[in-house]
Amino acid sequence: MPPTHALTSILPCNDLAASEKFYARLGFTRADGDKPADGEDSYRILSDGKGGHLHLTDAVEGWLIRGRNPFGLYLYTEAVDELAREFSGELANGQGPEDTPWGMYEFALSDPDETLVRIGWPSRLRQNKQA
């Protein structure tokens, strides 16, 4: 049975192309043909083909200020180590994945607008898989 309930983030961006390129590296892309017919391109719907969705929209001018972006996203994925390698030069505080006191194996990045992007998986599930 398909899901009957979902929650998707709508993320304001100063540069949609840069943001779309960043999230493509995390596996989120627009579906083929998902371009507006009228040429307006201020809203983009991305998905990872695994149930993850993210909507990008143009931010109101002057609203997203570098160093003061209040937004954050959390990507739950088993591919924590693989993505940490993909983004090795961009890890927040230069720290790779680690087990946290709140039970997640995770690391953090910033997107082009300095949105906090945490990528993680429950430590207990990771430990069970390694055992």
Side-chain angles (χ1 to χ4, degrees):
M1 173 185 267
T4 58
H5 192 95
L7 177 68
T8 300
S9 293
I10 302 172
L11 187 64
C13 307
N14 285 323
D15 182 338
L16 282 173
S19 293
E20 185 174 3
K21 185 176 178 180
F22 174 86
Y23 289 103
R25 292 174 60 204
L26 289 172
F28 288 82
T29 59
R30 284 193 270 184
D32 291 337
D34 243 1
K35 305 226 186 217
D38 63 3
E40 177 63 32
D41 196 21
S42 62
Y43 196 92
R44 301 181 186 184
I45 299 173
L46 310 179
S47 66
D48 65 1
K50 302 172 190 168
H53 299 277
L54 177 63
H55 295 201
L56 305 177
T57 189
D58 277 330
V60 173
E61 189 171 331
W63 196 49
L64 283 179
I65 301 166
R66 293 191 67 73
R68 297 183 60 196
N69 186 337
F71 296 101
L73 302 171
Y74 203 106
L75 174 61
Y76 284 84
T77 178
E78 290 182 77
V80 175
D81 290 318
E82 293 86 351
L83 288 171
R85 282 191 293 277
E86 165 70 24
F87 289 91
S88 63
E90 303 165 62
L91 304 177
N93 302 322
Q95 290 184 215
E98 60 185 6
D99 288 300
T100 64
W102 49 90
M104 297 298 290
Y105 178 67
E106 67 180 31
F107 69 96
L109 302 167
S110 289
D111 79 359
D113 289 306
E114 296 183 351
T115 298
L116 171 66
V117 180
R118 288 195 186 274
I119 298 168
W121 192 248
S123 297
R124 65 180 170 75
L125 296 178
R126 182 174 166 271
Q127 291 166 349
N128 291 341
K129 191 173 184 179
Q130 290 179 335

